[in-house]
Amino acid sequence: MSESQSMNYAYSPPWHDTHIIGIAGSSGSGKTSVAAQLVKLLNLPWVVVLSMDSFYKELTPDQSKLAFANNYDFDSPDAIDFDILVDRLRDLKAGRKAEIPIYSFEKHQRVPNKNTTIYSCHVLILEGIFALYDQRVLDLLDMKIFVDTDSDICLARRLARDVKSRGRDVRGALQQWHRFVKPNFELYVRPQMKNADIAIPRGIDNLTAIAMVVKHIQRALNAKSEAHLKKIAELGEKVLEK
Ligand code: CTP
């Protein structure tokens, strides 16, 4: 067999087409919990959750001052570095590994000189308030989910979490919610629902919707796997014919 022929028969494992699921929804809607539940119910090796928090842009010293005073708008799409996100997603989709920045909510910046590496995975769950926003990201997604949780519940969860694990006080967290999070939810986050394949009302409490999503993902993965096996069998037959 010539070198060009052997290239045609190169083995292409199924994870060269990583299945990517996007989960958008309000801050505090339970995106992280839904993603964790999908991981648990799928019960497959190589399912990875990627949070869009890792892709907040670096702040200038002036912007950083505003952030510490709860006066910086982290709820505008401009706050996210979509170029890097798309770059990493394209790598992962193609089965390549990707370096992902680690974000500190206490410091409002990426942790210096520290990344995590995601190696080629079978299923990647991208979760974030803008997971269904950028057309380049949408083009890479195999399934698009919007978590639709009552805003009072989102606020209650967010306040508790911001104080407990993001180094904030209640007054500042409330200020940020009313100034940026709530208006930008209406402006940018909720409109992403039109891009979703499925909305999950009540988020993590909606076990029926989550079970349906899991079934759908399993069916899609089975179809991919069967198509892959068929391709391998056809290649094998071609090799035998030679
Ligand atoms: N944010 C912040 N400070 C930063 C960066 C982001 O307060 N330095 C806030 C933004 O206001 C944004 C939120 O972080 O609204 C995004 O994270 P969120 O969606 O709340 O967290 P997840 O755990 O990803 O989602 P969920 O609560 O739905 O599980």
Side-chain angles (χ1 to χ4, degrees):
M1 209 188 317
S2 74
E3 199 182 315
S4 69
Q5 276 174 321
S6 74
M7 290 281 282
N8 287 338
Y9 295 129
Y11 178 64
S12 155
W15 53 87
H16 277 196
D17 180 15
T18 297
H19 203 75
I20 309 186
I21 296 155
I23 306 183
S26 165
S27 172
S29 59
K31 302 177 293 295
T32 315
S33 309
V34 169
Q37 187 67 1
L38 291 180
V39 173
K40 187 174 155 206
L41 295 176
L42 281 169
N43 192 23
L44 292 167
W46 306 110
V47 182
V48 173
V49 178
L50 175 58
S51 170
M52 285 186 74
D53 305 336
S54 298
F55 300 95
Y56 274 109
K57 285 178 186 163
E58 298 290 355
L59 302 184
T60 64
D62 283 346
Q63 289 171 331
S64 182
K65 268 190 209 145
L66 288 175
F68 278 103
N70 303 102
N71 276 328
Y72 185 79
D73 187 358
F74 287 104
D75 291 79
S76 154
D78 287 343
I80 302 280
D81 194 334
F82 280 103
D83 289 344
I84 298 190
L85 169 66
V86 169
D87 202 55
R88 300 298 183 274
L89 283 180
R90 285 184 179 148
D91 277 344
L92 289 164
K93 182 83 179 166
R96 292 186 288 270
K97 68 173 186 163
E99 297 293 329
I100 309 295
I102 298 174
Y103 192 72
S104 161
F105 283 95
E106 281 97 343
K107 303 211 164 107
H108 303 289
Q109 64 172 22
R110 295 178 192 157
V111 179
N113 308 318
K114 228 178 166 192
N115 287 340
T116 60
T117 307
I118 300 183
Y119 292 93
S120 56
C121 45
H122 291 189
V123 179
L124 180 79
I125 303 176
L126 173 72
E127 69 86 12
I129 54 173
F130 293 121
L132 305 182
Y133 186 83
D134 187 291
Q135 190 55 49
R136 294 166 299 169
V137 174
L138 289 169
D139 289 344
L140 291 164
L141 297 179
D142 294 278
M143 188 179 193
K144 307 171 192 88
I145 300 172
F146 190 92
V147 178
D148 189 16
T149 303
D150 189 86
S151 70
D152 289 347
I153 294 176
C154 294
L155 173 58
R157 281 196 194 135
R158 172 154 172 145
L159 286 182
R161 183 200 56 204
D162 278 5
V163 172
K164 197 169 159 216
S165 33
R166 291 189 179 177
R168 315 289 165 90
D169 60 63
V170 174
R171 200 192 58 80
L174 266 175
Q175 172 185 320
Q176 196 182 343
W177 176 271
H178 287 296
R179 182 148 185 218
F180 301 114
V181 185
K182 195 167 180 249
N184 282 352
F185 172 75
E186 297 300 338
L187 203 56
Y188 303 114
V189 181
R190 197 208 294 273
Q192 293 172 94
M193 218 191 293
K194 70 175 185 311
N195 297 329
D197 301 312
I198 179 168
I200 304 187
R202 307 184 307 285
I204 189 65
D205 295 334
N206 194 335
L207 301 179
T208 309
I210 292 174
M212 282 166 63
V213 168
V214 169
K215 280 248 152 45
H216 181 88
I217 298 169
Q218 284 167 337
R219 270 201 298 271
L221 291 176
N222 282 342
K224 256 186 198 177
S225 169
E226 272 165 29
H228 176 71
L229 286 175
K230 198 168 156 229
K231 194 173 123 200
I232 297 292
E234 283 167 5
L235 285 175
E237 277 167 21
K238 274 192 194 155
V239 172
L240 284 174
E241 281 166 16
K242 294 274 153 186

